[in-house]
Coordinates of all heavy atoms in Angstrom, one line a residue:
W1 N -29.1 -68.9 9.6 CA -29.3 -67.8 8.6 C -30.7 -67.5 8.5 O -31.6 -68.4 8.5 CB -28.7 -68.2 7.2 CG -28.8 -67.1 6.2 CD1 -28.0 -66.1 5.9 CD2 -29.9 -66.9 5.3 NE1 -28.4 -65.3 5.0 CE2 -29.6 -65.8 4.5 CE3 -31.1 -67.7 5.0 CZ2 -30.5 -65.3 3.5 CZ3 -32.0 -67.2 4.1 CH2 -31.7 -66.0 3.3
P2 N -31.1 -66.1 8.4 CA -30.2 -65.0 8.6 C -29.9 -64.7 10.0 O -30.7 -65.1 10.9 CB -30.9 -63.9 7.9 CG -32.4 -64.3 8.0 CD -32.4 -65.8 8.0
R3 N -28.9 -63.9 10.3 CA -28.6 -63.5 11.6 C -29.6 -62.6 12.3 O -30.1 -61.6 11.7 CB -27.2 -62.8 11.7 CG -26.0 -63.7 11.3 CD -24.8 -63.0 11.5 NE -23.6 -63.8 11.1 CZ -22.3 -63.4 11.2 NH1 -22.0 -62.2 11.5 NH2 -21.4 -64.2 10.9
G4 N -30.0 -63.0 13.6 CA -30.9 -62.0 14.3 C -32.3 -62.2 13.8 O -33.2 -61.4 14.3
E5 N -32.7 -63.2 12.9 CA -34.0 -63.3 12.5 C -34.4 -64.8 12.5 O -33.5 -65.6 12.8 CB -34.1 -62.8 11.1 CG -33.8 -61.4 10.8 CD -34.0 -60.9 9.5 OE1 -35.0 -61.4 8.8 OE2 -33.1 -60.2 8.9
P6 N -35.7 -65.1 12.4 CA -36.0 -66.5 12.4 C -35.3 -67.4 11.4 O -35.0 -66.9 10.3 CB -37.5 -66.5 12.0 CG -38.0 -65.2 12.5 CD -36.8 -64.2 12.3
N7 N -34.8 -68.5 11.9 CA -33.9 -69.3 11.1 C -34.5 -69.9 9.8 O -35.6 -70.4 9.8 CB -33.3 -70.5 11.9 CG -32.3 -71.3 11.2 OD1 -31.3 -70.7 10.7 ND2 -32.5 -72.6 11.2
L8 N -33.7 -69.7 8.7 CA -34.2 -70.3 7.4 C -33.2 -71.2 6.8 O -33.2 -71.5 5.6 CB -34.5 -69.1 6.4 CG -35.6 -68.1 6.8 CD1 -35.6 -67.0 5.8 CD2 -36.9 -68.8 6.8
A9 N -32.4 -71.8 7.7 CA -31.3 -72.7 7.3 C -31.5 -74.1 7.9 O -31.9 -74.2 9.0 CB -29.9 -72.1 7.6
T10 N -31.1 -75.1 7.1 CA -31.2 -76.5 7.7 C -30.0 -77.3 7.1 O -29.4 -77.0 6.2 CB -32.5 -77.1 7.2 OG1 -32.7 -78.4 7.8 CG2 -32.6 -77.3 5.7
L11 N -29.9 -78.4 7.8 CA -28.8 -79.4 7.4 C -29.5 -80.6 6.6 O -30.5 -81.0 7.0 CB -28.1 -80.0 8.6 CG -26.9 -80.9 8.3 CD1 -25.8 -80.1 7.7 CD2 -26.4 -81.5 9.6
V12 N -28.9 -80.9 5.4 CA -29.6 -81.9 4.6 C -28.5 -83.0 4.2 O -27.3 -82.8 4.2 CB -30.2 -81.2 3.3 CG1 -31.2 -80.3 3.7 CG2 -29.1 -80.6 2.4
E13 N -29.1 -84.1 3.7 CA -28.3 -85.1 3.1 C -28.2 -84.8 1.6 O -29.2 -84.5 0.9 CB -28.8 -86.5 3.3 CG -28.7 -87.0 4.7 CD -27.2 -87.4 5.0 OE1 -26.4 -87.6 4.0 OE2 -26.9 -87.5 6.2
E14 N -27.0 -84.8 1.0 CA -26.8 -84.4 -0.5 C -27.6 -85.3 -1.4 O -28.0 -84.9 -2.5 CB -25.4 -84.4 -0.8 CG -24.7 -85.8 -0.8 CD -23.2 -85.7 -1.0 OE1 -22.6 -84.6 -0.7 OE2 -22.7 -86.6 -1.7
T15 N -27.9 -86.5 -1.1 CA -28.6 -87.4 -2.0 C -30.0 -87.6 -1.6 O -30.8 -88.3 -2.3 CB -27.9 -88.9 -1.9 OG1 -27.9 -89.3 -0.5 CG2 -26.5 -88.8 -2.4
E16 N -30.5 -86.9 -0.6 CA -31.9 -87.0 -0.2 C -32.4 -85.6 0.3 O -32.7 -85.4 1.5 CB -32.1 -88.0 0.9 CG -31.9 -89.5 0.4 CD -32.1 -90.5 1.5 OE1 -32.7 -90.1 2.5 OE2 -31.8 -91.7 1.3
L17 N -32.5 -84.7 -0.6 CA -33.0 -83.3 -0.2 C -34.4 -83.4 0.3 O -35.3 -84.0 -0.3 CB -32.9 -82.3 -1.4 CG -31.5 -82.2 -2.0 CD1 -31.6 -81.1 -3.1 CD2 -30.5 -81.6 -0.9
P18 N -34.7 -82.8 1.4 CA -36.0 -83.0 2.1 C -37.1 -82.0 1.5 O -37.8 -81.4 2.3 CB -35.8 -82.7 3.6 CG -34.7 -81.7 3.5 CD -33.8 -82.1 2.3
F19 N -37.2 -82.0 0.2 CA -38.1 -81.0 -0.4 C -38.9 -81.8 -1.6 O -38.3 -82.7 -2.1 CB -37.4 -79.9 -1.1 CG -36.5 -79.2 -0.2 CD1 -35.1 -79.2 -0.4 CD2 -36.9 -78.5 0.9 CE1 -34.2 -78.6 0.5 CE2 -36.1 -77.8 1.7 CZ -34.7 -77.8 1.6
P20 N -40.2 -81.5 -1.7 CA -40.9 -82.2 -2.8 C -40.4 -81.9 -4.2 O -39.6 -81.0 -4.4 CB -42.4 -81.6 -2.6 CG -42.4 -81.0 -1.2 CD -41.0 -80.5 -0.9
D21 N -40.8 -82.7 -5.2 CA -40.4 -82.5 -6.5 C -41.0 -81.1 -6.9 O -42.0 -80.6 -6.5 CB -41.1 -83.5 -7.4 CG -40.5 -84.9 -7.1 OD1 -39.6 -85.0 -6.3 OD2 -41.0 -85.9 -7.7
F22 N -40.2 -80.4 -7.8 CA -40.7 -79.2 -8.5 C -41.0 -78.1 -7.4 O -42.0 -77.3 -7.3 CB -41.9 -79.4 -9.3 CG -41.8 -80.5 -10.3 CD1 -42.5 -81.6 -10.1 CD2 -40.9 -80.3 -11.4 CE1 -42.3 -82.6 -11.1 CE2 -40.8 -81.3 -12.3 CZ -41.5 -82.5 -12.2
S23 N -40.0 -77.9 -6.4 CA -40.3 -77.0 -5.3 C -39.6 -75.6 -5.6 O -40.1 -74.6 -5.0 CB -39.6 -77.5 -4.0 OG -40.3 -78.7 -3.6
F24 N -38.6 -75.5 -6.4 CA -37.8 -74.2 -6.5 C -37.7 -73.8 -7.9 O -37.5 -74.7 -8.8 CB -36.4 -74.4 -5.8 CG -36.5 -74.7 -4.3 CD1 -36.4 -76.0 -3.9 CD2 -36.7 -73.7 -3.4 CE1 -36.5 -76.3 -2.6 CE2 -36.8 -74.0 -2.1 CZ -36.7 -75.3 -1.6
D25 N -37.6 -72.5 -8.1 CA -37.4 -71.9 -9.4 C -35.9 -71.7 -9.7 O -35.4 -71.9 -10.8 CB -38.0 -70.5 -9.5 CG -39.5 -70.5 -9.3 OD1 -40.2 -71.0 -10.3 OD2 -40.0 -70.1 -8.2
N26 N -35.2 -71.5 -8.6 CA -33.7 -71.2 -8.7 C -33.0 -71.9 -7.5 O -33.5 -71.9 -6.4 CB -33.4 -69.7 -8.6 CG -34.0 -69.0 -9.8 OD1 -35.1 -68.7 -9.8 ND2 -33.2 -68.5 -10.7
V27 N -31.8 -72.6 -7.9 CA -30.9 -73.2 -6.9 C -29.5 -72.6 -7.1 O -29.0 -72.7 -8.2 CB -31.0 -74.7 -7.0 CG1 -29.9 -75.3 -6.1 CG2 -32.3 -75.2 -6.7
L28 N -29.0 -72.1 -6.0 CA -27.6 -71.6 -6.0 C -26.8 -72.6 -5.2 O -27.1 -72.9 -4.1 CB -27.5 -70.2 -5.3 CG -26.1 -69.7 -5.1 CD1 -25.5 -69.4 -6.5 CD2 -26.2 -68.4 -4.3
L29 N -25.8 -73.2 -5.9 CA -24.9 -74.3 -5.3 C -23.6 -73.7 -5.2 O -22.8 -73.6 -6.2 CB -24.9 -75.5 -6.2 CG -24.1 -76.7 -5.7 CD1 -24.4 -77.1 -4.3 CD2 -24.3 -77.9 -6.7
V30 N -23.1 -73.3 -4.0 CA -21.8 -72.8 -3.7 C -21.1 -73.7 -2.7 O -21.6 -74.0 -1.7 CB -22.0 -71.4 -3.2 CG1 -20.5 -70.8 -2.9 CG2 -22.7 -70.5 -4.1
H31 N -19.8 -74.1 -3.1 CA -18.9 -74.9 -2.2 C -19.7 -76.1 -1.8 O -19.7 -76.6 -0.6 CB -18.5 -74.1 -1.0 CG -17.5 -73.1 -1.2 ND1 -16.4 -73.3 -2.1 CD2 -17.4 -71.8 -0.8 CE1 -15.8 -72.1 -2.2 NE2 -16.3 -71.3 -1.4
G32 N -20.5 -76.7 -2.6 CA -21.2 -78.0 -2.3 C -20.8 -79.1 -3.3 O -20.6 -80.2 -2.8
L33 N -20.6 -78.8 -4.6 CA -20.3 -79.8 -5.5 C -19.0 -80.4 -5.3 O -18.8 -81.6 -5.3 CB -20.5 -79.3 -6.9 CG -20.3 -80.3 -8.0 CD1 -21.3 -81.4 -8.0 CD2 -20.4 -79.7 -9.4
E34 N -17.9 -79.6 -5.0 CA -16.5 -80.1 -4.9 C -16.4 -80.9 -3.7 O -15.4 -81.7 -3.7 CB -15.6 -78.9 -4.9 CG -15.6 -78.0 -3.8 CD -16.6 -76.8 -4.1 OE1 -17.5 -76.9 -4.9 OE2 -16.4 -75.8 -3.3
T35 N -17.1 -80.8 -2.7 CA -17.0 -81.6 -1.4 C -18.0 -82.7 -1.3 O -18.0 -83.4 -0.4 CB -17.2 -80.7 -0.2 OG1 -18.5 -80.1 -0.3 CG2 -16.1 -79.6 -0.2
A36 N -18.8 -82.9 -2.4 CA -19.8 -84.0 -2.3 C -19.2 -85.3 -2.5 O -18.3 -85.5 -3.3 CB -20.9 -83.7 -3.4

């Protein structure tokens, strides 16, 4: 994602997100919690 552009998507472990503390203002969680 996005299609036809430089990739901005990655695969992560749900218990070890590869991002530093306090990295994001907003997080959208869709079809992730029910399968965790």
Side-chain angles (χ1 to χ4, degrees):
W1 180 84
R3 293 183 180 181
E5 300 182 43
N7 184 51
L8 297 175
T10 184
L11 188 67
V12 300
E13 288 289 340
E14 63 184 36
T15 58
E16 296 182 5
L17 298 181
F19 309 111
D21 298 355
F22 309 109
S23 297
F24 299 97
D25 299 288
N26 297 74
V27 173
L28 175 65
L29 178 56
V30 181
H31 289 318
L33 184 59
E34 66 268 25
T35 59

